[in-house]
Amino acid sequence: MSNWQPIETAPKDGAVVLGYSCDVTGPVFASMAWSEELGTWALEPTAWGDQSWEWPEVTHWMPLPESPEAE
């Protein structure tokens, strides 16, 4: 069973979620959050230092999985 949901249902409260898009190179999965500043979905800034990258073609989302437990 898939947990993918249409992007229209994704939270826009700054929560980081897993996003899905498909471009000329194939499927793309990345952590992302809604950017009020950009007015679109952006790749999660901590993955790219201080910069956010617009990701306007995202079509689906799902909650991030739980982190693994430390050993």
Side-chain angles (χ1 to χ4, degrees):
M1 184 170 135
S2 174
N3 290 327
W4 290 109
Q5 301 172 49
I7 195 59
E8 296 80 19
T9 65
K12 292 186 175 179
D13 61 0
V16 177
V17 298
L18 182 61
Y20 169 83
S21 180
C22 191
D23 64 18
V24 295
T25 62
V28 178
F29 303 91
S31 57
M32 64 173 201
W34 179 256
S35 170
E36 287 293 328
E37 181 181 334
L38 298 174
T40 190
W41 294 99
L43 296 180
E44 209 273 311
T46 59
W48 302 99
D50 292 334
Q51 296 183 355
S52 291
W53 298 92
E54 278 186 58
W55 196 22
E57 301 300 322
V58 63
T59 60
H60 291 80
W61 78 281
M62 69 171 30
L64 290 177
E66 297 220 5
S67 298
E69 293 183 26
E71 292 183 21

